[in-house]
Amino acid sequence: MNVLVIGSGGREHALAWKIAASPLVSRLYCAPGNGGIAEIAECIDLKPLDFDAIVRFCREAKIDFVVVGPEDPLVNGLVDRLEREGIKSFGPSAAAARLEGSKGFTKDLCAEFGIPTAAYGRFSDAAAAKAFAREKGAPIVVKADGLAAGKGVIIAETAADAEAAIDEIFSGRFGAAGAEVVIEEFLEGEEASFFALCDGEHALALATAQDHKRVHDGDQGPNTGGMGAYSPAPVLTPDLVERVMREIIEPTVQAMKKRGTPFKGVLFAGLMITEKGPQLIEYNARFGDPETQVLMTRLNSDILPALIATHDGTLDRVALEWKDDAALTVVMAANGYPGDYRKNTEIGGLDAAGRVPNVNIFHAGTCVENGRILSTGGRVLNVTATGATVAAAQESAYRAIALIQWPDGFCRSDIGWRAIERERQTA
Ligand code: AMP
Ligand code: GLY
């Protein structure tokens, strides 16, 4: 069959790499893709929000299945459009993607169906929001309701910070995403990423993972899309996985079905593992980036039948096998990220780095120009390695990074530290 992957990040490179290995695939395309994806798929210069052009291409290239990577096309209805055109795809409808597109929607659903999450209030005017924040006291979390490219969440340490955050969101800086504010109790614990494929009725948990959101070593500095990840995440014990499925994922799948907007695709729960147990921080309606890079690396089974089963409603007949080995990925980002950074800087040494045993490099923001690899974004490369332990995978990843020549880029030097500390304690 012919498959089209939508997106251009490290997540899409990892998905395309895994899909390319499927014996079911005859031709693989990616729109728009990147410098690394170009080596395994035919990259098509289409914008993920240009639905007309995507449909046209699907007809021309006789695409049998579309895999949508990023949230924007999902929230804006790409899957609905493809469905209307009779083209099968992986991902939720716009109505189901509201789990990611509106924090208030998700909090109300949790409240109605008893899904554990931080106490909250929803507000469309600043005075009421401030009164609620004052009453609850700091620390408190202030969020823009809609998609704000990861920048709409402020952890306020003081009441004054909370008020400033509320004013900032209502100032219009986040556009429509800031028309409403959600204020939440601050949860204490360790974060983990949880992924389950869903077909509207059934849910299938994937392997566990954790990412590092902060830009600097020691989990310091501003939040980013993710500076590295690893799988498995030892904090998610088999007991906890079972609880997350029973208390969070399955009730969500049933709630969405009951509301007439069944969720199909991958449900990505950002969790806080608190003393009381797992609590939902937020949902995403897509795969995580960079978590997907480690999940695809550890997956033994063919991913494509599982993705198709989410569309067909046959996920109960799918089982996935995972490698025992751990996987770890280190993100290399352009100097300055997550603030301003330069583009079109040259990256060398990738061939040598890719030859380090057990290493695979997924590209995020790159392009190829006259045979040279250039950076095109903030997060640029995902140097991914496997090993018997997270510590062994980490060693291989950093050995490869030492061979990459990119003076305009940087990476964290401690990806995996929590898992490695746990490995040392149990060794
Ligand atoms: P979100 O975009 O909702 O995932 O939030 C971004 C980050 O803010 C999360 O990954 C957490 O680190 C933090 N965060 C969000 N909500 C809370 C909360 N209620 N308590 C503590 N930390 C939170
Ligand atoms: N790594 C977190 C995310 O994909 O949102």
Side-chain angles (χ1 to χ4, degrees), residues 103 118 141 143 153 155 184-187 191 213 223 272 281-282:
K103 296 188 192 297
V141 185
K143 301 183 176 182
V153 174
I155 314 273
E184 281 181 23
E185 160 203 17
F186 177 77
L187 295 172
E191 286 187 63
K213 296 196 192 307
N223 259 328
M272 189 70 87
I281 299 176
E282 65 155 1

Side-chain angles (χ1 to χ4, degrees), residues 11 71 100 150 193 195 210-213 224-229 268 282 284 286-292 379:
R11 167 183 53 208
E71 62 273 20
E100 172 158 7
S193 304
F195 299 89
Q210 253 175 321
D211 78 341
H212 291 269
K213 296 196 192 307
T224 70
M227 294 301 292
F268 166 8
E282 65 155 1
N284 295 302
R286 51 166 176 88
F287 275 110
D289 190 345
E291 290 93 330
T292 304
R379 292 191 294 171

Side-chain angles (χ1 to χ4, degrees), residues 54 57-58 72 104 149 180 192-193 197 199 242 247 259-260 301 316 318 372-373 424:
I54 291 172
F57 175 75
C58 287
D72 271 350
E180 196 178 301
S193 304
L197 295 180
D199 67 1
E242 201 263 320
E247 296 174 15
R259 290 188 169 189
S301 312
D316 53 328
V318 173
R372 299 183 314 156
I373 299 281
R424 284 206 189 104

Side-chain angles (χ1 to χ4, degrees), residues 237-249:
T237 59
D239 275 0
L240 273 174
V241 168
E242 201 263 320
R243 272 188 76 177
V244 174
M245 287 302 283
R246 184 164 32 91
E247 296 174 15
I248 299 179
I249 302 291

Side-chain angles (χ1 to χ4, degrees), residues 31-93:
N34 63 38
I37 296 174
E39 289 176 17
I40 54 167
E42 195 174 323
C43 289
I44 308 294
D45 191 15
L46 291 176
K47 293 194 173 59
L49 290 176
D50 188 348
F51 297 174
D52 289 339
I54 291 172
V55 168
R56 223 176 299 127
F57 175 75
C58 287
R59 299 234 182 282
E60 275 163 30
K62 300 194 166 35
I63 297 296
D64 301 292
F65 194 61
V66 180
V67 177
V68 186
E71 62 273 20
D72 271 350
L74 293 171
V75 168
N76 284 292
L78 177 56
V79 165
D80 309 68
R81 173 72 190 274
L82 292 171
E83 197 64 32
R84 278 200 303 276
E85 305 278 352
I87 302 163
K88 265 196 195 191
S89 63
F90 169 78
S93 64

